[in-house]
Amino acid sequence: MYPRQPSVYLSEDHEVFRATVAAFVAREIQPHAADWEAAGVFPRDLYVKAAKTGLLGLRYEPRWGGSGLDYFATVVLCEELAKGDSIGTAVGLMAQSEFALSALADEASDELKAAYLEPAIRGELIGAIGVSEPGAGSDVAAICARARRDGDEYVISGQKTFISNGTRADFLTLAVRTGEPGPRGISLVVFPTDTPGFSVGRRLDKLGARASDTGELFFGDCRIPAANLIGEEGRGMRYILAHFAGERLVIAALAVGAMEHLITMGLDYAGARHAFGDALWNFQTWRHRFADMATRLEATRLLTYQAADLLNRRDPAAEVAVSMAKLAAAQAAQFVAAEVLQLHGGFGQMEESPVPRYYRDVAGFSVGAGTSEIMRELVARALTTRSSRD
């Protein structure tokens, strides 16, 4: 077991919650991880089981079934979910609880919260966030899917791609263009997927996170009530950017949990595997490589916890802190996964082991919720802003 150090950021309640999540992962995810990865999807009833354990609405108001907790609870949840040998399962659960629901919880009408947020927190509805398009990924302002107002309805046409939970979502928190080109013409709506004219294309075949179903979606003059607008028309870009911080914190925390789990597996293997008459751990080269892995893990954890602290305090510096944490986390997780794969030698190439699965899975951390290039640009802009003030 990796000797995780006590954190000044986490309370005793956070650690009690960690134990609850760890037990859920050991009972409900880890025994099935290989099968779900092979199938490319995990069972729908896992959402209900997660909800009954209190995992789907951590930061949302108790009025709607949430737990009213803080971002540290989200970090703890992600760290432990990442240890279930299936990052795809963790992504599918978090795409529901953090990505699809956060804008609903903060900006939607009470009627929309009652119809979608509350049952989603209970695990009865599956949600997805619909932003990415074939021509608009990191450049959110370039989205083309359009919602045309027609009386008391929006008529939606266009397509989305790379949508986690997209093949079986009951509703989408959907970014659409309601006005002029550019960021000011974007709005968010709740889109029920049983709407006539909606269709799911391919379930996309991904490198990693394979247990998370990911799809391409098509909208053919789909009519939804205008009352499904989230917040105000034309402010969708602002809502999306405001909630990207939570998504990026999720990725950073998943990376922290994955690294801790990989190092634990590596320590066990290094103690048990012998070469040239001695355990691998007794070779200085591997002890020092473990020291490098542990140092990168703890540095990333500190960045991630600091970002969570700033988010809890609604500090304007949170955006840069989260960008730094996600950037560092993606790099560190890929480094650790490569080291542990190398440590396992031939065994690290075998699909019966979770090690090569993690090696593939962590590749997505530098892409999802904003690429590493975007994270660098956000950090660089902050440096420029501070420099100009000085």
Side-chain angles (χ1 to χ4, degrees):
M1 183 67 68
Y2 179 83
R4 186 177 61 252
Q5 300 299 309
S7 171
V8 296
Y9 288 109
L10 302 184
S11 67
E12 183 178 344
D13 288 343
H14 289 121
E15 294 303 341
V16 170
F17 178 62
R18 184 188 297 279
T20 298
V21 182
F24 176 84
V25 169
R27 181 180 68 252
E28 303 291 352
I29 296 179
Q30 207 159 23
H32 313 290
D35 291 339
W36 295 349
E37 289 287 318
V41 68
F42 59 87
R44 186 184 177 101
D45 68 359
L46 187 67
Y47 288 98
V48 176
K49 293 177 180 178
K52 289 179 178 178
T53 311
L55 307 186
L56 293 188
L58 295 186
R59 295 186 298 99
Y60 306 135
E61 293 180 70
R63 175 185 178 188
W64 306 111
S67 302
L69 301 178
D70 61 9
Y71 278 101
F72 289 128
T74 299
V75 167
V76 168
L77 171 63
C78 292
E79 286 181 357
E80 295 307 313
L81 287 177
K83 299 173 187 176
D85 294 342
S86 174
I87 293 295
T89 301
V91 168
L93 291 173
M94 296 311 298
Q96 158 95 333
S97 63
E98 182 65 44
F99 302 178
L101 301 187
S102 57
L104 261 175
D106 289 346
E107 312 294 347
S109 66
D110 284 355
E111 290 76 16
L112 287 177
K113 290 177 183 178
Y116 296 98
L117 175 64
E118 193 169 9
I121 290 174
R122 293 196 299 265
E124 297 167 3
L125 295 180
I126 297 176
I129 182 76
V131 177
S132 295
E133 298 180 2
S138 294
D139 185 6
V140 177
I143 68 169
C144 295
R146 178 163 292 278
R148 173 177 55 85
R149 186 69 180 258
D150 183 17
D152 292 335
E153 295 180 316
Y154 283 114
V155 182
I156 297 175
S157 58
Q159 68 182 101
K160 299 289 180 179
T161 193
F162 308 137
I163 307 302
S164 298
N165 292 355
T167 67
R168 58 177 176 173
D170 298 300
F171 70 92
L172 307 169
T173 301
L174 186 67
V176 289
R177 182 161 299 286
T178 53
E180 62 190 59
R184 295 183 181 179
I186 295 172
S187 301
L188 283 182
V189 298
V190 176
F191 182 90
T193 57
D194 60 358
T195 302
F198 171 78
S199 62
V200 176
R202 296 176 299 151
R203 174 181 289 173
L204 300 175
D205 190 11
K206 308 189 301 297
L207 170 69
R210 297 182 67 83
S212 168
D213 67 293
T214 304
E216 54 184 12
L217 313 178
F218 297 90
F219 307 83
D221 291 333
C222 302
R223 290 181 173 270
I224 64 170
N228 282 23
L229 177 69
I230 297 174
E232 298 178 30
E233 190 171 286
R235 296 176 68 88
M237 185 71 172
R238 181 172 297 184
Y239 301 150
I240 292 167
L241 294 180
H243 293 93
F244 264 156
E247 295 183 33
R248 289 163 182 166
L249 184 74
V250 163
I251 299 296
L254 288 174
V256 169
M259 285 189 281
E260 186 176 315
H261 188 49
L262 281 162
I263 293 173
T264 295
M265 288 191 287
L267 288 169
D268 290 343
Y269 187 81
R273 176 68 171 173
H274 283 65
F276 304 102
D278 210 349
L280 293 182
W281 175 255
N282 291 330
F283 290 88
Q284 186 187 65
T285 184
W286 275 113
R287 292 200 305 275
H288 287 190
R289 288 166 84 166
F290 272 107
D292 287 340
M293 286 188 274
T295 300
R296 294 199 188 199
L297 164 59
E298 295 305 334
T300 305
R301 195 195 307 272
L302 286 171
L303 270 174
T304 302
Y305 284 17
Q306 175 175 281
D309 182 48
L310 292 171
L311 283 169
N312 283 335
R313 293 192 276 118
R314 300 182 183 275
D315 192 302
E319 180 185 11
V320 176
V322 171
S323 299
M324 287 180 173
K326 183 183 178 297
L327 175 62
Q331 294 173 323
Q334 290 165 16
F335 171 81
V336 169
E339 289 289 87
V340 173
L341 185 80
Q342 182 67 24
L343 171 75
H344 280 75
F347 292 108
Q349 312 301 309
M350 300 297 107
E351 287 297 332
E352 63 200 61
S353 164
V355 172
R357 190 182 310 151
Y358 275 98
Y359 183 80
R360 293 191 300 269
D361 287 349
V362 300
F365 292 161
S366 61
V367 175
T371 64
S372 290
E373 290 73 24
I374 294 296
M375 298 305 100
R376 291 185 177 97
E377 182 62 20
L378 292 171
V379 174
R381 288 179 188 175
L383 295 176
T384 303
T385 301
R386 290 172 185 170
S387 177
S388 63
R389 284 200 304 262
D390 295 341

